[in-house]
């Protein structure tokens, strides 16, 4: 089993949550979303993010608007819908519970090994 495959699956599992979290306070266009994820060391390529944004939009969690840009073509800004905000709140609760459970299991395991 290759560690890179497992690491990639772990990152994929939290990507939706991270994208919704990026959009929690402000609308953003794809380059801004990618930069935020990159700054957090979550390397995501455009070929991955566009289908995910479309899926989130089709699920009613995101909307978008076009805005003129002074440095090129118009930009598509994504933002959370009301449903998206509620969904993000649920994911945050689930993430907190999951993180706590994983911390308990991994720290208990390490303590037992000593």
């Amino acid at each position: 089993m290759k560690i890179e495959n497992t690491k990639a699956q772990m990152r994929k599992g939290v990507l939706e949550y991270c994208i919704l979290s990026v959009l929690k306070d402000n609308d953003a266009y794809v380059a801004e979303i990618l930069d935020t994820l990159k700054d957090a060391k979550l390397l995501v390529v455009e070929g991955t993010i566009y289908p995910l944004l479309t899926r989130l939009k089709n699920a009613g969690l995101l909307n978008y608007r076009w805005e003129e840009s002074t440095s090129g073509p118009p930009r598509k800004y994504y933002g959370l819908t009301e449903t998206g905000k509620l969904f993000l709140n649920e994911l945050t609760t689930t993430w907190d519970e999951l993180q706590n459970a994983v911390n308990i299991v991994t720290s208990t395991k390490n303590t037992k090994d000593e």
Side-chain angles (χ1 to χ4, degrees):
M1 183 173 213
K2 294 186 179 181
I3 189 68
E4 290 307 316
N5 292 344
T6 301
K7 288 164 64 174
Q9 289 301 317
M10 291 173 80
R11 283 192 295 272
K12 277 186 194 176
V14 298
L15 190 54
E16 285 183 21
Y17 177 50
C18 291
I19 290 171
L20 293 174
S21 295
V22 168
L23 299 171
K24 177 178 61 176
D25 296 321
N26 297 304
D27 294 357
Y29 62 100
V30 172
E32 291 175 323
I33 296 168
L34 288 171
D35 285 346
T36 301
L37 296 173
K38 181 181 168 188
D39 290 346
K41 307 290 189 247
L42 276 172
L43 301 179
V44 180
V45 295
E46 286 185 26
T48 300
I49 199 166
Y50 280 110
L52 184 51
L53 290 170
T54 298
R55 192 160 39 91
L56 293 170
K57 184 188 80 58
N58 290 342
L61 304 178
L62 298 180
N63 55 26
Y64 66 84
R65 63 182 162 74
W66 289 98
E67 193 170 296
E68 290 298 323
S69 170
T70 56
S71 61
R75 294 178 174 160
K76 186 187 277 190
Y77 280 79
Y78 289 89
L80 293 180
T81 62
E82 286 304 313
T83 302
K85 291 175 185 176
L86 295 172
F87 193 81
L88 176 59
N89 287 338
E90 288 291 322
L91 286 181
T92 299
T93 299
T94 301
W95 174 254
D96 291 343
E97 291 168 353
L98 180 61
Q99 189 176 19
N100 288 334
V102 169
N103 287 339
I104 289 168
V105 169
T106 57
S107 64
T108 300
K109 177 77 174 146
N110 291 336
T111 303
K112 288 180 181 177
D113 288 345
E114 293 175 1

